[in-house]
Amino acid sequence: MFYNYIFSVFLLFQSLFHPFYISLTEIKYNAKESSLEISQKIFWDDLESELTDLYGGKIDFLKPKDQADMDRKLKQYILQNNTISVNGKKAELNYLGYEIEEDAAWFYLEAKQIPRPQKVDVRNSILHKHFDSQQNIINFYLDKKPKSLILIKGNESGRLTF
C-alpha cells in the first residue's frame, strides 16, 4: 500500500513537468498455494498506441469493435512481454484477465507449482517498442518484504535474490 502511495505521488509529480511512460508490476509469492500472484498496471492509452503499431489498425481499448479479438491480442501481448524464472526454472504464466481503473488497466496473471524463491529472474518489455523512455517497476513480495527492480529499454531483465 505504501508503495502504491509513493508511486501515485511520483506519477503526479512527473506529469506536471513532462510526459512519462511507466508501468507497475506487483508479484506476490503465495507460500500456502506455492504460486505467484501477479498484478500489472499499465496506462491504457499507451497500450493502445503500442497495440496499434504492433497489430496495425486503430485499437480502441475502452470500446473495442470485437471484444474477443481485443482479449486475444491483450493476452498475447502481456504473455510475450513478461517472463519470470524462479530458481532457474521458467514459470508458466497464466493470463487471468484485466480490469480498467480510470486511466490505467490492471492485468492479472498467475503461476502455479512455484517453489519458495531464492533467485528470481524477471523480464518485462511492456511498451518498450513504442516508448524509448518506458520504465517498468517490478515489486516482488516474499514474506511481505518487497524487493524492487526498474526495467528500461535495453535493460528489460533483472534478478532478485532472497
Side-chain angles (χ1 to χ4, degrees):
M1 187 64 154
F2 177 72
Y3 290 102
N4 282 339
Y5 176 74
I6 289 174
F7 179 69
S8 297
V9 170
F10 174 76
L11 291 178
L12 177 62
F13 180 74
Q14 288 285 347
S15 67
L16 296 175
F17 296 103
H18 59 80
F20 64 97
Y21 304 100
I22 196 164
S23 77
L24 173 66
T25 301
E26 294 190 345
I27 306 168
K28 296 177 183 172
Y29 180 69
N30 183 330
K32 186 176 182 180
E33 300 291 326
S34 297
S35 66
L36 297 178
E37 299 167 350
I38 305 156
S39 304
Q40 190 164 59
K41 186 175 187 176
I42 305 169
F43 289 102
W44 57 260
D45 58 336
D46 297 339
L47 189 56
E48 279 183 340
S49 296
E50 180 95 348
L51 294 176
T52 295
D53 285 354
L54 182 64
Y55 293 108
K58 175 73 174 123
I59 300 290
D60 188 339
F61 191 81
L62 297 177
K63 296 179 184 176
K65 292 179 182 176
D66 182 345
Q67 185 67 50
D69 184 55
M70 172 64 74
D71 291 342
R72 181 188 57 75
K73 288 175 180 173
L74 289 169
K75 177 181 178 179
Q76 180 180 16
Y77 179 79
I78 296 295
L79 291 176
Q80 284 179 347
N81 288 281
N82 286 286
T83 306
I84 301 171
S85 296
V86 177
N87 304 334
K89 184 178 179 191
K90 185 176 176 182
E92 182 180 333
L93 299 178
N94 298 306
Y95 177 83
L96 302 176
Y98 71 95
E99 62 183 349
I100 297 171
E101 179 185 272
E102 297 177 15
D103 55 354
W106 281 98
F107 294 87
Y108 303 104
L109 301 104
E110 71 176 354
K112 295 182 177 184
Q113 300 177 345
I114 303 297
R116 183 171 179 80
Q118 295 175 357
K119 177 180 70 173
V120 178
D121 295 300
V122 178
R123 184 189 63 81
N124 179 326
S125 57
I126 294 292
L127 301 178
H128 284 177
K129 289 182 182 172
H130 195 77
F131 301 105
D132 289 338
S133 62
Q134 175 71 27
Q135 296 182 22
N136 296 325
I137 299 170
I138 313 297
N139 294 322
F140 192 104
Y141 295 85
L142 179 66
D143 299 329
K144 299 183 182 180
K145 297 176 187 173
K147 287 200 174 189
S148 299
L149 295 167
I150 297 178
L151 304 176
I152 59 174
K153 189 171 188 171
N155 188 23
E156 292 91 4
S157 299
R159 175 173 285 170
L160 298 167
T161 55
F162 298 93

